[in-house]
Amino acid sequence: MFLSIALILLVGMTMGWICKKIKLPALIGMLATGIILGPYVLDLLDPKILDISEELRKIALVIILTRAGLGLDVKGLKKIGRPAILMCFVPASFELAGMLLLAPRILGVTYMEAAIMGAVLAAVSPAVVVPRMVKLTEEGYGMDKAIPQLILAGASVDDVYVIVLFTTFTGLATGGSVSAIKFINIPVSIILGIAVGVGVGLLLNLFYTKCHMRDTVKVIIFLSISLLLVAAENAIPIEITFASLISIMCVGIALKQKNEPLAKRLSAKYNKLWVGAEVLLFVLVGATVDIGYVKQAGVGVILMIFAALAFRMLGVFVSLIGTKLNVKEKLFTMMAYTPKATVQAAIGGVALEMGLACGNMVLTLAVLAIIITAPLGAFAIDISYKKLLKKSEQ
């Protein structure tokens, strides 16, 4: 296993660096590393590390959501108003609707399988979007109308919304029956998740204030509590529970609201933690890709990805109706909201591990979505922002 970990980190980071040099997202190189080192090509990875890949991906997902919570500007979100709220769920809902409408016809899957595939596909990627929106903020492009903040805020919550839907759909698929209580659990779990997260965040802030310790120790405590929340959700035996992933994000939001300087320091620590987690996440996802199945299902899945993206861009356009954005600014926002990567890597293989019949196709969809949309979205943002957005005079 030690050799496998060394190969994952060293080769993954090297391939990521090469991709950056040729103006591609680093995650493409990491994904390619997993495919090459994985059991379907060179078979150089220890099966033991592949057996725990689900748990490792879950940890990476926890880190993603914590970073999103610690970095989310609630005041900015309120200032932007209605469009920011709509961007949190309307584009993803349009994309999911597109999958439900077209996937059964194009791919021959059931509506439940189409819903699972749509939930995997519908999340936008913080790994691609966030660094570029930060760059736009620093250079002053789109700042007069808060376009980078709009995209950042929407993307942060969009991921949580999609993950809750995915958890619900996979639960329905494995339960064998559809009951009203499971649908009632969706809004209830979100509300309870917010309440639990805010409560834990306030208590954690009080603890940090009373007990002086290094920021590194605070991060370890924060991460441990986040993992305990995930374990607690899984351990609750009743149907009505709380959404632990939303709770984790809300812990970060509460901390930032009560103690912004501390939140910034913890966020910087989590950014360093993400360096290694990102490599593990994307390499392990690549390692689960069956190249033969990708070739077999490629054409239909690729067609479905582009069709779903069209629905997503329509959802962004609907969210921006009534705003002061002109046609060019709306076009940029629509393109910037298309890259897929982080969440697809984290949950793309879950359906396969759960033994669902659509598992292979879901994983193929997730991987192809990353390969296609991450570089295209990154290129679209990098090439177009100076042409489509106005630079702030201040």
Side-chain angles (χ1 to χ4, degrees):
M1 184 178 289
F2 294 123
L3 176 61
S4 297
I5 294 174
L7 287 173
I8 288 172
L9 294 175
L10 292 175
V11 180
M13 287 189 294
T14 302
M15 291 288 286
W17 177 80
I18 291 172
C19 284
K20 280 186 175 180
K21 286 295 183 183
I22 58 175
K23 306 301 181 181
L24 286 174
L27 56 91
I28 298 296
M30 298 171 194
L31 194 66
T33 299
I35 295 173
I36 294 168
L37 297 180
Y40 300 102
V41 182
L42 298 180
D43 194 18
L44 295 178
L45 300 181
D46 191 327
K48 293 179 181 178
I49 199 167
L50 297 177
D51 291 340
I52 61 171
S53 64
E54 181 182 0
E55 287 76 15
L56 293 173
R57 291 202 301 272
K58 178 74 76 167
I59 293 172
L61 189 57
V62 166
I63 295 172
I64 293 167
L65 295 173
T66 304
R67 292 174 67 213
L70 290 171
L72 185 61
D73 184 3
V74 177
K75 293 180 181 178
L77 190 61
K78 291 179 180 178
K79 184 178 178 181
I80 296 168
R82 179 187 59 85
I85 303 300
L86 294 178
M87 289 282 282
C88 294
F89 65 91
V90 170
S93 298
F94 267 69
E95 194 164 5
L96 179 59
M99 288 294 293
L100 286 170
L101 180 65
L102 299 176
R105 295 169 174 80
I106 295 176
L107 302 177
V109 297
T110 66
Y111 283 104
M112 179 54 69
E113 291 171 339
I116 294 172
M117 295 171 71
V120 170
L121 185 62
V124 72
S125 171
V128 178
V129 173
V130 171
R132 283 166 172 80
M133 293 306 105
V134 171
K135 179 182 178 182
L136 262 64
T137 302
E138 292 172 348
E139 295 183 13
Y141 283 93
M143 291 299 294
D144 289 338
K145 298 181 181 179
I147 294 173
Q149 292 91 328
L150 171 67
I151 295 171
L152 280 173
S156 299
V157 183
D158 170 279
D159 290 352
V160 179
Y161 171 66
V162 168
I163 290 165
V164 171
L165 289 179
F166 174 78
T167 304
T168 302
F169 293 145
T170 51
L172 292 172
T174 54
S177 63
V178 179
S179 62
I181 195 70
K182 290 182 178 178
F183 285 101
I184 293 172
N185 187 41
I186 296 176
V188 172
S189 65
I190 293 174
I191 294 170
L192 289 177
I194 293 171
V196 171
V198 171
V200 171
L202 295 176
L203 290 173
L204 196 57
N205 177 66
L206 182 62
F207 173 72
Y208 287 157
T209 303
K210 298 292 183 181
C211 303
H212 297 285
M213 62 191 76
R214 296 173 59 187
D215 287 342
T216 302
V217 177
K218 292 176 183 177
V219 167
I220 294 173
I221 294 173
F222 194 166
L223 181 59
S224 300
I225 290 174
S226 299
L227 297 177
L228 284 174
L229 288 172
V230 175
E233 181 190 11
N234 296 333
I236 293 175
I238 59 175
E239 292 272 6
I240 298 296
T241 182
F242 71 100
S244 61
L245 297 177
I246 290 182
S247 295
I248 292 166
M249 184 172 175
C250 288
V251 173
I253 293 173
L255 269 176
K256 183 175 182 181
Q257 293 301 302
K258 297 298 291 185
N259 194 339
E260 188 168 351
L262 173 62
K264 288 182 178 180
R265 299 201 308 272
L266 295 184
S267 181
K269 294 285 186 181
Y270 265 96
N271 289 342
K272 295 177 182 179
L273 195 61
W274 174 241
V275 173
E278 181 184 32
V279 177
L280 280 173
L281 173 62
F282 289 110
V283 173
L284 288 175
V285 167
T288 61
V289 177
D290 186 340
I291 296 296
Y293 192 84
V294 171
K295 292 179 181 178
Q296 179 183 345
V299 176
V301 173
I302 291 173
L303 180 62
M304 193 63 249
I305 289 171
F306 281 105
L309 284 180
F311 274 84
R312 182 177 188 83
M313 294 177 75
L314 178 61
V316 175
F317 178 80
V318 170
S319 301
L320 299 177
I321 291 176
T323 64
K324 296 180 179 179
L325 274 64
N326 59 38
V327 174
K328 290 182 178 180
E329 291 164 340
K330 289 179 180 178
L331 178 60
F332 173 83
T333 307
M334 290 162 67
M335 293 190 299
Y337 223 54
T338 57
K340 318 287 184 179
T342 320
V343 174
Q344 287 72 25
I347 65 176
V350 172
L352 181 61
E353 291 160 0
M354 294 174 70
L356 298 179
C358 61
N360 253 326
M361 186 169 290
V362 172
L363 178 60
T364 301
L365 177 83
V367 173
L368 286 177
I370 295 171
I371 294 173
I372 293 170
T373 66
L376 281 180
F379 280 135
I381 295 170
D382 293 343
I383 293 173
S384 68
Y385 77 93
K386 291 184 178 179
K387 299 176 182 178
L388 300 180
L389 302 181
K390 292 182 180 179
K391 189 171 183 178
S392 173
E393 295 180 0
Q394 295 181 353

